[in-house]
Amino acid sequence: MKRGSKTDEVLTLLFMLLAVAAVICFFAVDSRMAFIICGGVAVLLRMAQYILRFFP
């Protein structure tokens, strides 16, 4: 996957949405489990994106 490709842009957008959702869950939800899940999925998505960039 090349930087700037359509797939790269979609994965970046998903990462940003999940990161914003994690911040909202951190402040708005009493249980921290939603924050941990949103943040964890965001981090795993970003790691997968970097792996796909380096190993096409």
Side-chain angles (χ1 to χ4, degrees), residues 11-55:
L11 289 176
T12 300
L13 179 65
L14 284 174
F15 167 74
M16 284 191 237
L17 291 174
L18 283 168
V20 168
V23 171
I24 290 170
C25 287
F26 183 77
F27 290 109
V29 179
D30 291 333
S31 173
R32 295 291 179 227
M33 187 57 69
F35 163 71
I36 292 171
I37 290 172
C38 285
V41 171
V43 168
L44 289 175
L45 182 67
R46 184 58 104 179
M47 289 172 52
Q49 183 181 6
Y50 283 133
I51 289 170
L52 288 173
R53 278 186 193 168
F54 290 119
F55 302 109

